[in-house]
Amino acid sequence: MSDSRLVRGFQARLLELPEGLLVAVLYASACWASRQVSLEQLFLPAGIRVAALLVCRPSMWPYLLLGEYAYFAHLRIPLMDKYGLDWVVISSAYQFPAAAIVVHVHRRSIASKTDTWLLIVAFAVATLVGVGNLALAHALWPSPPAGGFATVASRNVIGQYMAILSISPLALLWVRREEIDWKSWRGLPTAYAAISLLTLGALSVVLPKESTTERAIIQLLMAMPVIALTCLHGWWGAAIGMPIMSIFVRISTPVTGLPESFDLDSFRIQLLIAVAGTALLALGSRITHHYRQHVVQARAKREAILNARSSHCTSERELRNRVVSLRSIGDKLDVALSETVDWMRAKGHHEVANSLLSVATVHSRQFREQANMVYPTTMEHVGLYLALQVGGIGDAWEQTDRMAQPFLVGDPCRLSLDLQLTAYRALTEAVSLLLENEPGQLKIRARCGQVGATRGMVVTVGTLDSRRCLSQSTATMAIGRLSGRTQAYGGTVQCRRNRIRMFFRE
């Protein structure tokens, strides 16, 4: 078994070889090309290194290392006589492994709910590589680099940190592209922010070299549309806006373009951009995190509402089937009693037949009223309002002598039958609750209609005495018993002074 696994692993490595060599060539070419347009204060190969580690799967990392060594061989072998073999080998060998270790430690965080880990990766890699390179140069060069160690180290760290923040968010954006709701980027606010960012960037490029103050102001103003994109799209907005802003700052920097180039005015702007970019990426991460939580909660709420509706509908269907069976039994009993009455009359027992018919008629009516209270089948034909007045529940309320004339507005037939049934159950439960626990006359008010795109119904059950408030126990029971029915249709239950108010939404 172990030999077969080794064979399969070796075969898989062979199949990956062409792809890996291509990755190595592309990576080396990208590092070389980005170095040609890099500055000391924005060293783009550092961003390419971290971006490649994020995009490529770990099995491709050895090929990335091969590409890195090829890039350094082309770059530093000609410098061997000037700086020494030790520096060329050691400085070239440790940079990629150091960055790979940092990314590997945080790689599990790629699927996490927040993306602040990328800031930690950027800072750690920039510090390890930037300070490490300078320390090796001081230790191994024949003569140390000019400038103080702290000053040059801070420039190196900021330059690599800015490069990582400029490129790695785009790489992570590509890795997690399926999670992005690209439709939300089509809105006018996003278009205005993007156009403003591009316009300000173009202005910073076309300004004369002498207009350093105006250029600095425009570069700082570019943060405004990036902030807007962050507020609109969270971390994704910052991940797109920050690199664009860094690119325009690099293009408008008036230097030679060599890696050793440095411009103090642009460096000050970049320090501000580094701080702003860090803050925006952190803010965007929190916005995205809370948005995801909101989406999950909203989805769970919708599922709960759908499940509650399904449960209510299933229960109502079962009750309807039972009522249909009971009415079928009642019809058969009525037919049997009618035949019995006819037979007794034929035998001359008229008084007994009339007495039996009278008793049977009363009990048959009561039987049908009780069946109608179990499930109001009349609602399917005449709607909720008439079902409350002509059904068995209306007669039961009338017998209490405590129900005033209801105030009913609108056409409930425009609402779904399921919503009407839910309102019926909640209404009868509320009336029963008040009849048992509150004194005085009661009145029902209901209004159904449509406001904008929302259709629904508002039902109120309360006492006629507006000076008397519902007791705390009654209000607690009402909310506990009725909330499940109203929430199934996106509604609420409120107990205000002397009444229970329920809202149902289609």
Side-chain angles (χ1 to χ4, degrees), residues 236-254:
W236 308 115
I240 291 177
M242 280 302 302
I244 295 176
M245 185 165 61
S246 297
I247 289 172
F248 279 118
V249 172
R250 164 61 189 89
I251 296 174
S252 60
T253 301

Side-chain angles (χ1 to χ4, degrees), residues 250-308:
R250 164 61 189 89
I251 296 174
S252 60
T253 301
V255 290
T256 61
L258 298 177
E260 295 81 11
S261 298
F262 180 78
D263 180 70
L264 183 59
D265 293 331
S266 298
F267 185 68
R268 291 168 180 161
I269 298 297
Q270 281 189 310
L271 283 177
L272 295 175
I273 291 176
V275 174
T278 302
L280 287 174
L281 287 171
L283 173 64
S285 174
R286 300 309 303 172
I287 292 174
T288 301
H289 171 63
H290 289 298
Y291 174 75
R292 288 172 180 167
Q293 282 190 328
H294 172 74
V295 170
V296 170
Q297 292 174 358
R299 185 183 298 115
K301 183 178 180 180
R302 287 194 299 269
E303 291 178 356
I305 289 175
L306 291 176
N307 291 336

Side-chain angles (χ1 to χ4, degrees), residues 167-243:
I167 300 177
S168 58
L170 297 177
L172 193 59
L173 199 72
W174 172 260
V175 172
R176 297 167 59 176
R177 60 191 179 278
E178 295 180 357
E179 302 177 16
I180 306 175
D181 182 16
W182 292 111
K183 294 181 180 179
S184 63
W185 289 75
R186 301 175 183 174
L188 287 178
T190 301
Y192 292 149
I195 293 172
S196 300
L197 178 59
L198 296 176
T199 303
L200 291 171
L203 285 175
S204 68
V205 173
V206 300
L207 281 176
K209 293 182 179 181
E210 298 79 16
S211 305
T212 55
T213 303
E214 292 80 358
R215 180 181 295 105
I217 293 174
I218 291 176
Q219 288 173 345
L220 291 176
L221 287 176
M222 283 194 290
M224 300 303 295
V226 178
I227 293 173
L229 289 174
T230 303
C231 294
L232 289 170
H233 304 287
W235 190 88
W236 308 115
I240 291 177
M242 280 302 302

Side-chain angles (χ1 to χ4, degrees), residues 21-92:
L21 293 176
L22 177 61
V23 167
V25 172
L26 291 176
Y27 175 70
S29 302
C31 289
W32 177 84
S34 62
R35 190 179 187 278
Q36 307 310 307
V37 294
S38 293
L39 309 174
E40 182 184 9
Q41 61 205 61
L42 185 65
F43 195 66
L44 295 177
I48 297 292
R49 182 183 296 120
V50 175
L53 288 170
L54 292 175
V55 171
C56 296
R57 58 185 184 273
S59 62
M60 289 287 109
W61 287 7
Y63 298 102
L64 292 177
L65 182 62
L66 176 63
E68 174 114 340
Y69 288 166
Y71 157 68
F72 277 129
H74 171 76
L75 183 68
R76 292 185 171 179
I77 286 178
L79 304 176
M80 193 180 303
D81 295 335
K82 182 178 181 180
Y83 298 113
L85 177 63
D86 293 341
W87 174 80
V88 170
V89 174
I90 297 175
S91 178
S92 302

Side-chain angles (χ1 to χ4, degrees), residues 429-430 433 470-487 492-496 499-502:
E429 179 73 17
L433 187 64
L470 301 180
S471 65
Q472 185 61 41
S473 60
T474 301
T476 302
M477 286 189 291
I479 293 175
R481 293 185 187 181
L482 303 175
S483 293
R485 298 189 183 278
T486 55
Q487 290 175 0
T492 57
V493 178
Q494 297 173 338
C495 294
R496 296 180 175 177
R499 60 191 181 275
I500 301 172
R501 183 178 180 273
M502 298 171 287

